[in-house]
Amino acid sequence: MVKIGIQVNTVRERALLNQEELAEKAGIGTATLSRIENDRVEPHFRTIRKLAKALGVDPSELLPKE
């Protein structure tokens, strides 16, 4: 399972967005974003791309650092 929660949360907070704002910009549900940030679900790559676009970053910035 790819765990991106910490990265999404960090980039979201750096962008000064709350979960509702990011979810709306990305076109996903607030509950879905919450589950992603808490690593309860593994998002599809298309969802990662939506989040990255909404945050103005490359999708690789949301992937775990190894």
Side-chain angles (χ1 to χ4, degrees):
M1 181 166 158
V2 177
K3 295 186 177 190
I4 67 167
I6 292 171
Q7 287 83 355
V8 172
N9 181 274
T10 300
V11 176
R12 176 180 60 77
E13 289 182 350
R14 191 172 48 203
L16 303 176
L17 296 171
N18 63 37
Q19 283 187 338
E20 290 179 358
E21 292 166 332
L22 176 55
E24 184 175 325
K25 285 181 76 168
I28 65 173
T30 304
T32 299
L33 178 58
S34 177
R35 288 191 298 269
I36 291 169
E37 287 194 358
N38 289 300
D39 290 321
R40 292 190 184 137
V41 297
E42 182 175 3
H44 293 280
F45 189 70
R46 67 179 172 267
T47 303
I48 295 171
R49 283 193 314 231
K50 287 180 181 182
L51 289 168
K53 183 176 180 181
L55 290 164
V57 299
D58 189 88
S60 65
E61 288 191 45
L62 301 180
L63 300 177
K65 309 299 183 231
E66 300 201 31

